[in-house]
Amino acid sequence: MQLRHEELISKAAVEETKVLDCESQLGRSKLDLEYTVIRAPYTGRIGKIDIQVGQLMQQGQVLTFITNEAAGKWIVANLKETQLESYPVGKEVSITIDAIPGREFKERVESISPATGTRYSLMPPNNATGNFVRITQLVPVRIQLLDIDDVSKILRGVMNAYVRNVK
């Protein structure tokens, strides 16, 4: 009787080890399943999808482009370098958008780029090569759109807008 009792205790220990091993495999399977779901880093809208169903992904591969709704909407106005003095940070500007005719928005300049747009281009021009024609450079100026709640669903990237100085 004593021998049978010790045998059962030994078998129970083996079975308990099997249960722990199965729980470990289940945890690993759940983790592997979670790796198959791709989550966006923020709430937004998908613009362009570069993947197909069943396609294998590589680490660092661009899958899609998403807009960040929490960042709000803004306009990047490329102003001439001669206009920058009239548009300091905090200055109120008037904006009209082609997609919303007859409506004018009063917004503020949020920031001015530290360099011209050509400085960030793939092949920036070198205008100091004996050319005496002065080329007016364009400087990106960011204008945050705050007063657009009722029309924000209409706005999309790369739409035309006109920025005017408010006197």
Side-chain angles (χ1 to χ4, degrees):
M1 186 69 154
Q2 180 68 22
L3 189 60
R4 179 80 176 137
H5 179 67
E6 289 175 6
E7 183 182 336
L8 290 176
I9 290 175
S10 173
K11 284 185 179 181
V14 169
E15 296 303 319
E16 192 173 314
T17 304
K18 287 181 181 178
V19 168
L20 290 174
D21 186 44
C22 288
E23 286 176 352
S24 173
Q25 287 178 6
L26 177 63
R28 177 61 190 201
S29 295
K30 284 182 179 179
L31 185 62
D32 287 344
L33 180 62
E34 197 155 316
Y35 287 152
T36 65
V37 177
I38 300 170
R39 291 181 176 80
Y42 42 77
T43 303
R45 297 183 65 163
I46 290 179
K48 179 182 176 192
I49 300 174
D50 290 335
I51 57 174
Q52 302 298 322
V53 175
Q55 181 179 345
L56 293 176
M57 301 291 100
Q58 300 297 320
Q59 184 175 359
Q61 180 179 351
V62 176
L63 306 178
T64 187
F65 294 96
I66 185 171
T67 58
N68 186 352
E69 290 179 356
K73 300 208 186 251
W74 66 89
I75 289 176
V76 176
N78 290 310
L79 301 178
K80 295 177 185 173
E81 58 187 317
T82 55
Q83 296 174 308
L84 287 181
E85 190 174 293
S86 302
Y87 294 90
V89 173
K91 172 76 174 172
E92 187 176 278
V93 294
S94 172
I95 297 171
T96 55
I97 301 169
D98 285 353
I100 309 165
R103 179 99 185 258
E104 189 172 292
F105 301 92
K106 301 279 193 243
E107 306 298 343
R108 295 200 184 281
V109 174
E110 183 179 280
S111 65
I112 299 173
S113 176
T116 64
T118 58
R119 172 58 73 193
Y120 300 118
S121 68
L122 187 59
M123 294 182 62
N126 184 0
N127 294 330
T129 58
N131 187 353
F132 293 102
V133 176
R134 295 180 84 172
I135 299 171
T136 304
Q137 297 295 312
L138 299 177
V139 179
V141 175
R142 182 172 165 150
I143 302 166
Q144 188 74 35
L145 299 177
L146 303 170
D147 187 30
I148 59 157
D149 290 336
D150 56 332
V151 295
S152 65
K153 289 182 174 53
I154 298 171
L155 297 178
R156 300 286 184 265
V158 196
M159 284 185 157
N160 288 327
Y162 297 95
V163 178
R164 285 186 295 283
N165 203 346
V166 173
K167 307 234 178 201

